[in-house]
Amino acid sequence: MTISLKASLQGASLRRYLELLRMLVERNLKGRYRGSFLGVYWSLLNPLIMTGLYAAIFGTAFAQYYDNSTFNYILAAFTGLIVINFFSSSTNQALGSVVGNGALLNKVRLPITIFPVSMIVANIFQFVMGPLPLLAIVTLIVSKNPLNVIALIFPLIALSFVCTGVGFFVSALYVFFRDLPYFYELVCFVLWISSPVFYPAEIVPASVKSFLLLNPLIPIIESIRQISLSAALPDVTLILHSFFNGFILLVLGWICFRSWQKNFMDLL
């Protein structure tokens, strides 16, 4: 009887959490794209424009690293850009989510974790509607293997784990340090420039490559490229590396958020 009652209460709490999450995601997307002509498809247009710019500037110089094909360089740049853009937009939005809803939290008792999570989920929806279909089509055309299209979900789940963990951490930290957005812009720039997005990894000096291992986005980018831009089967090692980084960051972010959460209300 006690076990049944406890399970029922947990089920009700989960349903309430999911309903709140749905409402917050809808509010976020409607507010973000109210009056917008393209809506969520801006998330596709941005990397397409940047890819065209990179191809015009670097395509000829770096084509030799992509089987002497500018088209392959374009595809590689596109896959890197959608990862970087997703990470940057989702974590930056998660950063201010707790502080931005401080007035609401002071009036209504809500699970605080739902605010950074809702920002990540809103960006996942945006990604699914925007870049993902094009990425899936490119993968099917290049790899000619439907299994590779399905395998794309694994590095993308790892990317979601990374963003959620970082989102927990920065949203909690922002409650205490209001200068964090300025510093975090620099962090995102460092992650972008240290990721082989518009340049091939082969040109990075060996003395620097060891430091790039600290960048959790690199194995995700490399895994997506290996799956989508080659005819080979998905590299399980790259996928596991991506998942390992994502799981570690998710756990660390969650621990930090929960341990600092008791001090939030005094500062909101």
Side-chain angles (χ1 to χ4, degrees):
M1 180 68 178
T2 303
I3 295 175
S4 176
L5 180 60
K6 185 180 294 186
S8 177
L9 290 173
Q10 289 176 346
S13 297
L14 179 61
R15 286 192 296 271
R16 177 172 176 267
Y17 190 94
L18 292 176
E19 180 62 23
L20 284 170
L21 181 62
R22 182 188 64 81
M23 292 172 58
L24 288 172
V25 169
E26 286 183 0
R27 185 187 72 169
N28 179 281
L29 292 171
K30 288 178 180 178
R32 190 185 308 177
Y33 295 114
R34 183 177 291 114
S36 171
F37 178 70
L38 290 178
V40 295
Y41 296 105
W42 278 111
S43 62
L44 174 60
L45 186 61
N46 181 282
L48 285 176
I49 293 174
M50 292 300 295
T51 298
L53 183 62
Y54 287 155
I57 298 173
F58 303 111
T60 303
F62 292 149
Q64 59 180 309
Y65 296 96
Y66 299 93
D67 300 324
N68 292 313
S69 171
T70 303
F71 180 68
N72 286 348
Y73 171 79
I74 291 172
L75 296 179
F78 176 74
T79 55
L81 277 167
I82 60 175
V83 171
I84 291 294
N85 284 3
F86 179 85
F87 174 85
S88 179
S89 62
S90 60
T91 56
N92 270 289
Q93 291 163 26
L95 184 150
S97 61
V98 174
V99 172
N101 289 281
L104 179 62
L105 286 170
N106 278 303
K107 295 177 182 178
V108 184
R109 183 178 177 84
L110 294 171
I112 305 179
T113 57
I114 203 168
F115 294 106
V117 170
S118 68
M119 294 299 177
I120 305 299
V121 173
N123 279 275
I124 290 174
F125 175 82
Q126 182 177 270
F127 186 88
V128 169
M129 297 300 295
L132 183 58
L134 181 57
L135 180 62
I137 292 170
V138 167
T139 302
L140 186 59
I141 292 173
V142 175
S143 69
K144 300 179 176 61
N145 188 348
L147 180 63
N148 283 33
V149 178
I150 298 172
L152 281 174
I153 192 173
F154 297 110
L156 294 177
I157 290 173
L159 176 62
S160 300
F161 285 173
V162 169
C163 294
T164 305
V166 173
F168 278 140
F169 181 75
V170 294
S171 62
L173 199 61
Y174 184 42
V175 176
F176 304 98
F177 304 103
R178 299 303 170 92
D179 290 333
L180 183 62
Y182 306 105
F183 175 75
Y184 192 64
E185 285 182 9
L186 178 60
V187 172
C188 287
F189 175 76
V190 170
L191 287 174
W192 168 69
I193 206 69
S194 64
S195 301
V197 175
F198 64 90
Y199 60 87
E202 290 82 357
I203 70 171
V204 178
S207 57
V208 178
K209 281 188 177 180
S210 57
F211 293 100
L212 298 187
L213 295 176
L214 299 174
N215 185 341
L217 300 180
I218 291 179
I220 294 173
I221 293 173
E222 293 298 333
S223 180
I224 292 175
R225 283 177 176 168
Q226 188 274 325
I227 291 170
S228 60
L229 305 182
S230 73
L233 291 174
D235 188 330
V236 177
T237 303
L238 279 174
I239 292 174
L240 291 177
H241 189 182
S242 303
F243 262 100
F244 177 76
N245 288 348
F247 179 75
I248 292 297
L249 286 172
L250 179 61
V251 171
L252 290 177
W254 172 260
I255 291 173
C256 290
F257 192 97
R258 295 292 292 179
S259 61
W260 298 340
Q261 181 178 330
K262 59 182 178 294
N263 299 315
F264 285 178
M265 298 314 297
D266 294 332
L267 299 169
L268 293 176

